[in-house]
Amino acid sequence: LTGWRDLAVRLAETIAAEGNLSDPAWRDAFATVPRHVFVPRFLRDDSSVVDGTDPSDRGDWLAAVYSDTSLTTHRAPVPGTNLQWPISSSTRPSLMARMFHLLHVAEGHRVLEIGTGTGYSTALLCQRLDDNSITTIDIHPDLVNQARDRLASLGYWPHLHVGDGVDGVPVQAPYDRILATCAVPTVPPAWIRQLSEAGMIVADIRGELSSSLVALRRTDDKTVEGRFLAVPGHFMWLRAAADNPLRTGGSLESTIDRDNTGRAETNVDPTILKTPGLRFLLQHPPPAIEQIWSAPRDGIQLTHIHAQDGSWAEVEPACGGRHIVTQGGPRPIWSLAEETIHLWSRLGQPTRERFGLTATSTGSHRVWLDRPGSEHTWQLQAR
Ligand SMILES: C[S@@+](CC[C@H](N)C(=O)[O-])C[C@H]1O[C@@H](n2cnc3c(N)ncnc32)[C@H](O)[C@@H]1O
């Protein structure tokens, strides 16, 4: 393929212009690595294929590959539904650039990447550092094999592994930097154990309602600590099985108990549940809220809340700023959410970057407001 170099340089310039590529060495890496080698085909939203070898697709393919977009490469069926969800993609280049920036890499650093995917971000790491110091792991064997071939065709020879990244890669540890390109609800203890002194982890800590990048520094041999960013990663989950898109490898089937429902009134407008800082906080007290959505019924817009333990609520607007709440299941989920809404207001409606995380290799996860010693802390739920 000719002409790709100009496109890669232009992509690097675009990312730099948005302020995400201040380090010239990373800028060179983006201008040097041919993304088209790692994304020979991708899927549109309707799952139709855009194939770089098909002359009728070629123009669209090349434009997309050298644009600042995430490109889905694989989807798989969601058990219990007729949906297909992504199981691998090439991450949006500017998001990768932002994560690389947060990593603060230096020559000689050993890096572990969780989520090899297409191999594109692995290639960027190999280009920026020594390929022998890069280790990458993906749960899907086919992806790792494809990535190995693509990387080798460009002369990059990192350490590639197939397996569950939740365990890290002990054989190459310790690592100065760990980068996850799939989302985790909590920091896996193995990552903390495999981090060198002064090591850092950059990951997307995600619940069902909110996703935020976090940069964590090791503070002692068992602990990492750092702040959340207002930047969502929106990564797909680090999942338990290669071909099941769901985090736990289970099924999406669920039952709602409509017996024993309770009714109440509230003056809290449920549209407040769209606010990112509040959504972040709503994830911490149990039961974990899994979904909040809005849908019309009989011409009235209802807000629905579902929690992991089967608790549910529907909130319906009534006259004079009042809302009617119907809730059921094991716990009164709207009433619990309302307590968190009031707390969030009392705390000054904090945005995500006012929160931080202290995580230990024994599995404890403390979210704090403003500083680690804050009186306002929450336990992150290992879900
Ligand atoms: C967004 S993609 C990675 C993008 C990649 N960095 C790139 O540039 O192509 C996320 C990857 O995480 C992988 N993944 C999901 N769960 C995993 C797990 N438990 N262990 C290792 N990799 C996992 C997926 O198979 C997928 O390839």
Side-chain angles (χ1 to χ4, degrees):
L1 183 80
T2 55
W4 70 265
R5 272 188 188 282
D6 290 346
L7 297 174
V9 169
R10 211 175 308 149
L11 175 61
E13 282 170 359
T14 308
I15 304 170
E18 289 163 2
N20 290 323
L21 262 184
S22 49
D23 177 350
W26 276 122
R27 195 171 165 151
D28 283 352
F30 277 91
T32 307
V33 173
R35 195 182 187 207
H36 68 271
V37 170
F38 296 92
V39 192
R41 59 209 284 282
F42 65 88
L43 304 174
R44 295 190 186 92
D45 288 347
D46 65 2
S47 281
S48 60
V49 177
V50 181
D51 186 341
T53 61
D54 179 340
S56 64
D57 280 351
R58 204 164 170 81
D60 286 352
W61 167 74
L62 200 58
V65 163
Y66 286 101
S67 67
D68 186 23
T69 30
S70 151
L71 298 170
T72 299
T73 54
H74 297 78
R75 287 201 174 90
V78 182
T81 74
N82 52 12
L83 301 171
Q84 297 252 340
W85 281 0
I87 56 165
S88 196
S89 63
S90 171
T91 306
R92 185 175 180 186
S94 60
L95 178 57
M96 282 319 312
R98 210 184 263 257
M99 293 177 89
F100 290 148
H101 176 74
L102 291 172
L103 267 188
H104 293 287
V105 294
E107 306 320 314
H109 271 169
R110 295 163 61 82
V111 181
L112 169 62
E113 177 192 44
I114 315 285
T116 314
T118 64
Y120 176 58
S121 49
T122 319
L124 291 165
L125 285 163
C126 292
Q127 180 64 31
R128 173 68 180 81
L129 298 164
D130 174 8
D131 55 359
N132 191 36
S133 62
I134 309 299
T135 300
T136 184
I137 182 168
D138 202 288
I139 196 165
H140 209 299
D142 297 352
L143 296 176
V144 175
N145 288 334
Q146 280 175 350
R148 180 181 289 111
D149 291 347
R150 293 166 183 165
L151 289 158
S153 75
L154 298 170
Y156 300 125
W157 298 95
H159 303 273
L160 289 121
H161 293 260
V162 177
D164 190 344
V166 81
D167 301 321
V169 181
V171 285
Q172 302 292 335
Y175 304 101
D176 301 295
R177 301 290 183 258
I178 297 179
L179 170 71
T181 62
C182 42
V184 282
T186 51
V187 184
W191 299 3
I192 302 175
R193 284 197 297 270
Q194 291 170 27
L195 208 53
S196 67
E197 218 174 297
M200 280 189 73
I201 298 173
V202 171
D204 178 24
I205 302 282
R206 219 190 113 175
E208 300 296 344
L209 302 182
S210 173
S211 139
S212 313
L213 296 185
V214 69
L216 303 165
R217 276 194 183 274
R218 200 174 111 162
T219 52
D220 65 39
D221 60 349
K222 290 193 188 60
T223 313
V224 290
E225 194 164 85
R227 280 183 180 277
F228 290 96
L229 280 84
V231 182
H234 291 314
F235 278 100
M236 56 189 72
W237 286 117
L238 174 134
R239 56 186 191 273
D243 284 313
N244 182 335
L246 299 176
R247 188 176 67 78
T248 55
S251 151
L252 260 196
E253 277 163 322
S254 66
T255 48
I256 292 182
D257 175 9
R258 286 212 169 258
D259 296 334
N260 307 315
T261 58
R263 276 167 80 83
E265 269 198 16
T266 179
N267 57 7
V268 174
D269 181 347
T271 56
I272 198 170
L273 298 173
K274 292 181 182 152
T275 319
L278 172 60
R279 290 174 81 85
F280 177 84
L281 195 57
L282 271 172
Q283 300 182 139
H284 304 323
I289 295 179
E290 289 203 313
Q291 269 185 309
I292 299 176
W293 78 100
S294 175
R297 186 194 296 157
D298 301 333
I300 297 173
Q301 198 68 17
L302 296 184
T303 300
H304 301 258
I305 305 179
H306 271 206
Q308 203 179 30
D309 67 350
S311 304
W312 60 271
E314 288 169 3
V315 188
E316 173 185 344
C319 307
R322 309 288 298 167
H323 302 266
I324 309 290
V325 180
T326 310
Q327 51 190 348
R331 290 192 251 197
I333 189 66
W334 171 262
S335 310
L336 293 169
E338 210 175 295
E339 281 174 23
T340 305
I341 295 169
H342 291 314
L343 171 67
W344 179 71
S345 294
R346 282 200 305 279
L347 295 174
Q349 304 197 337
T351 50
R352 280 175 294 181
E353 62 272 35
R354 279 187 58 196
F355 295 94
L357 175 67
T358 304
T360 69
S361 56
T362 54
S364 135
H365 282 76
R366 197 164 45 84
V367 173
W368 35 265
L369 182 69
D370 295 331
R371 56 183 197 287
S374 165
E375 60 184 299
H376 301 292
T377 63
W378 299 262
Q379 293 301 318
L380 252 193
Q381 306 299 316
R383 292 151 347 101

